[in-house]
Structure formats: structure tokens, C-alpha cells
Amino acid sequence: MRDVYVIGIGITSFSRLEYPLVEIAAYPAVMAMKDCGLSKVDHLFVANMGASRLNHQTGLASALVDHLSLTPVGAETIENGPASGASAIKAGWMAVASGLHDTVMVVGAERMREANNLETTDFVASLTHPLAEQIYGVTLPSLAGMFTRLYMEKYGVTSRHLAMVAIKNHNNAMLNKFAHLHEPITLEGILDSDDALTNNPMVADPLRFYDMCPVSDGGACVILACAEVAKKVKRPLIRLAGVGQATDTHCVHERKEPTDLLAVRGAAAQSFKMAGIKPSDVQVAELHDAFTILEIAESEEVGFFKKGQGHIALEEGYTSLTGKLPINPSGGLKAKGHPVGATGVGQAHEIVTQLRGEAGERQVKNARVGFTVNFGGFGNNVVALTFIKEK
Amino acid sequence: MERHILGYKCRGCGHVWYPNRAVCQDCRGTEFEPVPLPKTGKLLTFTVLHNLAVDFEVPSLTLGIVELSNGNRITGHLKIDQPKIGMKVTGKVEPVRQVGYHTSYGMVFYKG
């Protein structure tokens, strides 16, 4: 297989965007083409989860390939729930690694805020099992709430640890102009004061409002290329060195150990093996913190910390921006935002920005190895990517 | 007539699956027979959900995962004031969601 590099990147703000979905997809694509100086690519993959339901649009890749005047090259839309973004990058990686194409554009785009809160909640809940979960009104936050309660009972994680994840990621997002939430929060405001329950009400007990990611619109793009093309482009050489994916039971209740996220464990192990590195080699990571508990649980499952130790590493500042292994320097899904189909591409955008040394105030010093976890469903389909900066 | 939630017993190895699957995870068998699931068990975990999907016109829902007496696990509604992990519960099959004229039945658990 051939080596695959990320040569160009682009992103929109993750927030409420009042323009059509195809424009949300096109903006980062044009930005990425300018970034690497290419005006054409051999193929387009578009990651999107909800256009048919939320925006009454199907065939998004066909719309985008023409909007970018890239016809007649091939184009496909890839839907893998909230892991669509990393799945589309994986498809792009396969196309370049196999020798089928020399350059592939991967765009993730989502416009969720066109629908109201009820419809969006119901749309995301359609990821759950129709007969054994959905009929009961199970939503993703409710699955996260049940998971958190067990995690607290078993490993001693408290609401304070969860709030610390939120505060860390909100602080990181303050340094990211593309982030959805530019809102500093404090332990006093969301947990300790008399007003905390008003500021930060229960959503899926024990998870509260500030334990949840926002519902975002947004788009992101990465352009992948073979070594020959990558070496001609005058940008730092960032190799997509490891690609891993694993799945788990559709129903959360069928998992033997309900506090395990085996798909995260499996995807990460594959990704590290392909890249030829250990978890301890990673210097910056973007983990899928749709709920605060997930940052802690994933940091353990991928092997950064032992099971049950993630919250202690967090408490000691190990995962903060100036710590030994900064997690979610972009603000994460928690504060950068979560436009579902675009999120995985957004995570790759942040890691490439960090490895290039272009992250400004939130730059992780001398980062050479970066890692992402993009988590679909409640952990039933997970894609993990490893990026290495070459000398 | 008493309603039941059905598990699916693999004709190859006897494992009961809930919900159904096309291929048995244990023996790769493809034939199953429906068997009623037991209704008693212990509560594994729960949440009180305040932000509900459409069709639920109540302020909150208590959802839980229960391990039934035969070892199968099931997600359901809890009608229990102060649920506790590990408590004994008994289920009844009742309406759980109404969409237009369509009523979905599911397991609703009570204390004891």
C-alpha cells in the first residue's frame, strides 16, 4: 500500500450557519484547495448524516462535486452516523493507498439547526435500536446518562470530574475562532453555587446541561494525496499513518460489561498498530466528547490511561492544554461543537493544524504524533486515525 | 391475555437473544424460535431523562437497563420513585409510546 498524506485543510465555524448545506460543504473545500494550491482532485467523498431528514436533500456529494466544478470526477456521500467524518477519511485513505487515485477530497458537512430541538433530538435518537430502544424514548443523552451512573459507581468518577472536562474544553475553545461556544464556565457557576441547578439543569441524570455538546452546523475538509503529490505541495508533510475501525452491539444493553467501549479499544489498537506506535507516543488527541464522560472513558479505552484512571489524569492536569497529553485542544465536541457528519473531519483538521504548528494560542508544543477518535452511535461504530508529522 | 416481550432462542445452541438477530453470535446459527422473556430481574443502571424525543408529552422519563432472571438484559421504562442500582424489579408489558393511532408496547418496571 502507498503512504497517504494530508496536504490541504479547511473548516467553517461550528455554530448556527444561515446558509444552504452545499455552501457549508463548499466553503471548507475551497479553503483546503487554496491551502495546498490544487484546484482539482481525482475524487470526492462527502460525510453527512442527516441531510435527507433535516434539510430535505439527498445526493449531497453529487450536488457538491458540481458546485465545486469538479465534474466529471467520482463522488460519494458516506453516512456512518456521528462517525461519518472519519469513515469518509478512511474511504479516501483506501482510495489513495490502493493506488486508485492520487488526490482525494474529503468534506464533512452538516446543517442541524435548520430543524427544531425536538426534531434534532429525535433524529439523533434514530441511531438507537428501533424496537428495543427507540420505542421507549431512548436518546443518546439517556444512554450516556445510564453509562455515566455505572462509571461513577464503579470507578469513583464524580460530577466534579465531569465539570472539569467541560471547563477545560470550554477554555480551549476560547482560543479557537472556529468553535461554537465562546463561553468561559466555572465550577462555581455550573456546580457549586446556589444557582448551579438553574444554570446547569439535569438533562439525563447524572448528566447535566454542560455535560452535553451543542447542536451545531458546520463543515470541514481534508485533501489526501500520495507521496509524489504531497512532496510537490509546499506544506508540512503530515502522514495519515494509522486507520482503525471497530463495531459493537447495536443495543447498549447487550454489552457484557456495560462500562466497556470495546469498539473504541479495537479501533485505537488497529490504528496504533498500522502506524507502528504505542498510545504513549501520542502527543495530542481529539477524542469524541459528545458527553463529558466520553472523554474520560475513551482516554482509558485507547490506552492513554488504565481503566478507571482517566479522571485522575484529568484532575492532575495531564490532559489540559499545557499538560503532558493535551486532549481536545480545539474545545472538542463539547465546546468546538458537533455537526454530526462533519465532526470526524473537524477532528482531523485540528490535529493537522497542531502538527503543522499553526494552532496559534492553543498550539501544543512540538507535537509530532496526533490521534483522533470518532464515535458513532453509542460506541457501536468507531473510527480512530493516527497522524504523524514527517521530518 | 398477558402480553410478553419475546426473546429469540437459537435452534443451534439454545442461546436466547434479545432483540432478535439474523445470525447467532455464538454458533452462527440462523434459525430461532420466539420464547417469552421473564419479567423479574435486577436494575443494572438508570437515568431520569428531561429532554425528550417527540411523542412524549411528559416532563421526564425514567429509563433503565434490567438484567432479567434468565440473564437476558432489556431496556425499559421505570415507574419507581427512587431507583437504586441492584434493586429487584418486576416488569409489565404496557403502552410506552403513542405515535398517531399507533401504540407501541414495551416493558415497564415496578419496584419489587
Side-chain angles (χ1 to χ4, degrees), chain A residues 37-56:
Chain A
L38 292 188
S39 64
K40 285 186 174 170
V41 292
D42 297 339
H43 195 89
L44 171 67
F45 286 114
V46 179
N48 172 268
M49 176 178 164
S52 63
R53 178 147 170 189
L54 300 175
N55 319 107
H56 203 69

Side-chain angles (χ1 to χ4, degrees), chain B residues 66-81:
Chain B
V66 170
E67 184 163 287
L68 298 171
S69 57
N70 70 340
N72 273 113
R73 290 176 185 170
I74 183 169
T75 303
H77 284 176
L78 304 184
K79 288 195 176 161
I80 298 170
D81 273 348

Side-chain angles (χ1 to χ4, degrees), chain A residues 80-91:
Chain A
N80 185 23
S84 299
S87 270
I89 293 177
K90 182 190 165 200

